[in-house]
Amino acid sequence: MRKILIVGAGPAGMMAAVKAAETGGTVVLLEKMERVGKKMMITGKGRCNMTNAAPVPDIIKNIPGNGVFLNSALRFFDNEDVKAFFEDAGVPTVTERGGRVFPASSRASDAVDAMLHRLHSLGVEIRTRTEVRELLEKDGKISGVRLASGEELFADAVIVATGGASYPRTGSTGDGFRMAVSVGHTVEPPTPALVPLETEEEWPKELSGLSLKNVRVRLFSEDEQREKLGEAFGEMMFTHFGVTGPIILTLSRTAAMYLRNHETLGMELDLKPALDEVTLEKRVQRDFEQYRNKHAKNAMVNLLPARMISPVLDLAYIDEDKPVHQIERGERLRIVETLKRLPLTISGTRPIDEAIVTAGGVSVKELNPKTMESKLVKGLYFVGEVADVDGFTGGYNLQAAFSMGAAAGTWSAKGT
């Protein structure tokens, strides 16, 4: 019977422990925090968006960070397997807008408790408040781990599931990156992904808390080419530092990668994506006819949320107190242009410890995509966010974690 040590009791580590034990391994799960599943508890705003109902090829498309690498793992343990796992464990699921799958109770704690119950029923030894300091390796083969206390634990296989560097209060403090490097692995630079963005301009900060729905956001390079880098449609929000919300988080990985080598990034907001410029001009003209005896700021009330009016007029170089009947067509066209291409300058991302997910990590080129085993050290596996894999919001990151954990757990216990 093979002994398996698993470092980190997040979603990937817990699933690895379940599958290793189901396959016949003797499993010890090591977690440095006081309880397991802390990061899983905060996923999906505390509701646990455990997977997405999309077909596997679509899931791969929604994992921009090396999704193709996960093809074998996703087919080994897919979204239907995740749903079946939790439903068999007494956690019924519901599928919501965008294919997002949640516990029917909307409580992440139910999913964590179900995994914990399964681990106990399988006889997995769980040691919390147990920090792993280093990997023990000799002649290209793993032999165990050394704890912060100095104690050494020996095993046939070690699965590293320590998470990335985001949300350090949950225990993800980059320990796994250091361990990987110590045994010769390449770690792609950790970069915040699914993270709010900071703006150079001050006016977004004055609109803190204002949400916009059904808008389109585009990212552009800050050079003469103005190359479009990304685009998303949906909901966003202004904050005290810049912008956030679902479409901002979706684009944030692209922004973060670009900002590695550039000081700023261009952003445009299309506040009226359903209307082309000709139709929008007619709409503005109609509103101005209706409010021709009012000031400009009072003639925009049907077009924009009240707090957005002053910034839009200011960026269009229109005095907000100018009487509407004095506004000329050229000025009206500037308003239309601003509504369709409201400019912002992204000066950075929020810190990595505020990111939902970490991009970067152990290079997938050095991992077996079927088993998650290291190509450099026999018996060593890397799963979850510690590997260079990251997806968009919508359940894709948890699915990746469960699939990687299931593969590593199963194959480590088989010893192949």
Side-chain angles (χ1 to χ4, degrees), residues 45 49 62 97 100 193-197 210-217 219 231-239 243-253 267 356 391-394 396:
K45 298 180 179 178
N49 185 185
N62 280 281
R97 179 178 55 85
R100 291 169 166 82
L194 298 183
V195 67
L197 301 176
L210 175 66
S211 291
L212 300 177
K213 294 183 178 180
N214 300 320
V215 296
R216 179 169 283 113
V217 174
L219 297 181
E231 181 176 316
F233 172 84
E235 184 176 349
M236 61 166 287
M237 185 173 74
F238 295 105
T239 73
V243 288
T244 189
I247 58 176
I248 300 300
L249 297 181
T250 294
L251 292 170
S252 63
R253 184 185 197 276
M267 175 180 282
I356 297 173
F392 294 135
T393 57
Y396 304 108

Side-chain angles (χ1 to χ4, degrees), residues 15 19 50-57 59 70-86 395 398-400 402-404 406-407:
M15 186 59 78
K19 292 302 177 182
M50 57 181 63
T51 187
N52 193 285
V56 167
I59 292 176
L70 294 180
N71 185 58
S72 293
L74 284 167
R75 296 185 187 281
F76 178 77
F77 192 78
D78 65 13
N79 46 4
E80 291 300 323
D81 294 318
V82 170
K83 288 170 63 177
F85 173 84
F86 284 104
L398 273 184
Q399 177 63 57
F402 291 140
S403 294
M404 296 170 80

Side-chain angles (χ1 to χ4, degrees), residues 12-74:
M14 287 193 289
M15 186 59 78
V18 167
K19 292 302 177 182
E22 287 180 348
T23 309
T26 299
V27 182
V28 181
L29 181 58
L30 307 170
E31 170 55 54
K32 73 176 181 180
M33 304 301 284
E34 71 281 2
R35 63 161 297 171
V36 303
K38 290 198 74 170
K39 189 164 186 181
M40 193 168 160
M41 290 284 283
I42 63 174
T43 60
K45 298 180 179 178
R47 297 180 61 211
C48 188
N49 185 185
M50 57 181 63
T51 187
N52 193 285
V56 167
D58 289 344
I59 292 176
I60 289 172
K61 290 177 185 175
N62 280 281
I63 302 177
N66 294 309
V68 174
F69 167 78
L70 294 180
N71 185 58
S72 293
L74 284 167

